[in-house]
Amino acid sequence: MAYEKQTWVNGASGNTPLSADRLNHIEEGIFDTSLSSGQLLWTNPNVNVEFNEQDVNLNGTDFDMIEIFYYDYTGRKGMMSQKIKVGEKCTLTAVFEYGNGGYVGSRHVSQTSNQTVHFGGAVSIIQTDRFGRQAVNDWCVPVFIVGYKTNLFN
């Protein structure tokens, strides 16, 4: 069941006194949220290589939100994450500075079904650093995907 927010107003004229019913309502919401721990749906078997455009199959169906954990790029391995509602699209992004240059990378993601996520190819905007080198790394490499049953979208 989706949590129903209650409105609180200060003072006696607000007509929202503390009561066991109101406190139990809050406790029930906290308890329900604690039950929505994530379920590991997919793990990348080799995060040290290029991750080309592809579909990945998820191991589970009882979720309404996924969180994609990914490395900004394979050489640096800064962990990032992005949550999306089932059936939605998003863009994973990574930005960082190195020397006198900056690097930006992205990857489009869409969930094609409740059990499949499509990862587009990585795109990088390359700038050279002060030594004239260019970034030639694979960007936004997915590491694992977690599914959550939130009941926020009922």
Side-chain angles (χ1 to χ4, degrees):
M1 171 187 273
Y3 182 81
E4 293 183 30
K5 182 180 173 185
Q6 295 182 354
T7 302
W8 294 79
V9 179
N10 289 331
S13 62
N15 200 22
T16 55
L18 280 178
S19 67
D21 284 343
R22 284 185 159 263
L23 292 172
N24 285 329
H25 179 80
I26 292 169
E27 288 293 320
E28 191 66 32
I30 293 168
F31 177 75
D32 288 347
T33 300
S34 72
L35 295 178
S36 66
S37 61
Q39 171 189 3
L40 184 63
L41 302 174
W42 175 81
T43 302
N44 186 344
N46 192 351
V47 296
N48 297 313
V49 298
E50 289 185 11
F51 190 83
N52 297 317
E53 181 173 353
Q54 63 184 282
D55 290 339
V56 298
N57 296 318
L58 305 178
N59 299 316
T61 58
D62 191 27
F63 53 90
D64 57 10
M65 178 182 293
I66 62 172
E67 184 169 13
I68 302 166
F69 291 83
Y70 63 99
Y71 289 147
D72 51 6
Y73 82 99
T74 55
R76 182 175 129 130
K77 295 187 179 163
M79 182 68 78
M80 305 175 85
S81 75
Q82 174 75 42
K83 288 183 181 176
I84 60 172
K85 178 182 169 185
V86 166
E88 298 288 318
K89 299 177 180 180
C90 74
T91 301
L92 307 180
T93 57
V95 179
F96 72 98
E97 293 181 32
Y98 179 79
N100 291 331
Y103 304 97
V104 179
S106 67
R107 181 184 299 273
H108 296 288
V109 178
S110 60
Q111 191 161 8
T112 57
S113 75
N114 202 37
Q115 289 189 304
T116 306
V117 175
H118 177 78
F119 288 91
V123 177
S124 64
I125 301 169
I126 301 172
Q127 296 181 8
T128 57
D129 66 13
R130 62 188 166 150
F131 303 110
R133 297 177 299 200
Q134 292 186 329
V136 289
N137 299 294
D138 200 5
W139 295 90
C140 305
V141 176
V143 178
F144 58 92
I145 299 174
V146 174
Y148 302 94
K149 184 68 173 174
T150 66
N151 295 316
L152 294 173
F153 310 110
N154 295 341

